Amino acid sequence: MRRTEPQEGFAFEVERIVARGQGGEGWWREGRRQLEQRRWQTPDPVPRSRADRLLLAARRLEDELDAKLAGNRAYEEYRATGRDTQGRRLSKQPDPWTAPDAPEGVVSVSDPDSQRMKANLGYVQGYNAQAVVDEGQIVLAAEITNNPADFSQLDPMISTAIGELERACVTDRPQVALADAQYWNERSSTR
C-alpha cells in the first residue's frame, strides 16, 4: 500500500526554515527533528520479543516517512503560496517529489533510538555525546543525541549549561564559549 498522506502533528516554522535557504531538504530535516524530539519526550520501551521489536522498527520507519511527507507537503504549499522579500510570488515551482512505495532506512531492533554514526574507522551504531565544561574541566552539562551532526547542538548545550548553573545557584554566567568549527551555523552565529 502506498502512503501519500502523513499523520497529523507536524508544525513548521516557515520563517526559520526559509531563512536557512535549504529548499525541500530543510523542510524534511525539520520534520525529522520534530519526530526525534517527540520520540525523546515519549520514548517507546523496547519490547522483549523479536516479533514486537520488528513491529516497533517498522512503525518507526513509517513515522520517518510520515515526517518526510509532512515536510514535503509544507514545502510544496509554501512554494505555491509563498512570497519573496519584495512581495512577489516565488518563481520556479519545485520538481514534484514522489514518495517511495515503502519506508526506506534502517532501524536497530536492539536499540531503535540509536543511529548510524561516522566514526574514525567507518560507521558505528550509536549516539552523539555533547558536553560543556568549565576552564577547570568540570562538566556543567552533558547530553546525548542521535543526530550525527554537531552544528545544531551549540545553542541547546549553552542553554542547558546556564540552566544547570542556575539550579546550582551559581550567579556568574559564562562570558566566553569555545567550540569546534562543526558547531557553527547561521542560527547560532547571530546570538
Side-chain angles (χ1 to χ4, degrees):
M1 180 172 100
R2 182 177 206 153
R3 299 170 62 112
T4 57
E5 288 299 314
Q7 297 173 358
E8 295 303 314
F10 292 94
F12 295 89
E13 296 176 42
V14 175
E15 296 80 20
R16 182 173 154 255
I17 296 171
V18 171
R20 297 184 77 179
Q22 297 177 23
E25 289 288 328
W27 296 81
W28 296 344
R29 194 172 10 264
E30 176 63 15
R32 180 159 170 81
R33 186 196 65 77
Q34 289 180 29
L35 175 62
E36 289 302 325
Q37 184 177 17
R38 190 178 312 149
R39 286 177 176 167
W40 282 96
Q41 290 170 348
T42 56
D44 293 322
V46 179
R48 291 190 60 80
S49 79
R50 179 164 174 77
D52 289 341
R53 288 195 313 266
L54 290 171
L55 289 173
L56 174 64
R59 190 177 80 234
R60 284 178 157 260
L61 289 172
E62 289 172 356
D63 289 346
E64 288 175 14
L65 179 57
D66 282 345
K68 194 166 188 174
L69 288 168
N72 188 67
R73 187 174 63 195
Y75 175 65
E76 288 177 348
E77 181 179 319
Y78 165 73
R79 292 296 303 184
T81 61
R83 304 280 177 175
D84 68 11
T85 57
Q86 298 177 352
R88 297 177 298 211
R89 290 187 60 108
L90 298 174
S91 58
K92 183 179 180 255
Q93 294 299 313
D95 293 333
W97 177 72
T98 304
D101 291 331
E104 300 168 338
V106 177
V107 176
S108 169
V109 293
S110 60
D111 187 358
D113 289 326
S114 65
Q115 295 288 326
R116 283 180 44 95
M117 306 273 175
K118 185 159 177 59
N120 291 340
L121 300 173
Y123 288 86
V124 296
Q125 190 77 21
Y127 296 92
N128 186 354
Q130 308 292 321
V132 176
V133 298
D134 68 3
E135 62 267 1
Q137 299 297 305
I138 296 173
V139 176
L140 302 176
E143 298 283 339
I144 63 165
T145 178
N146 60 1
N147 183 349
D150 288 336
F151 73 88
S152 296
Q153 302 302 320
L154 182 59
D155 185 49
M157 289 308 300
I158 297 293
S159 299
T160 300
I162 289 171
E164 291 297 324
L165 289 170
E166 288 172 355
R167 278 190 283 288
C169 298
V170 175
T171 57
D172 293 338
R173 287 186 164 225
Q175 299 300 312
V176 175
L178 299 176
D180 293 340
Q182 298 95 331
Y183 286 94
W184 183 89
N185 69 33
E186 62 271 17
R187 270 190 82 204
S188 62
S189 66
T190 59
R191 293 184 186 231

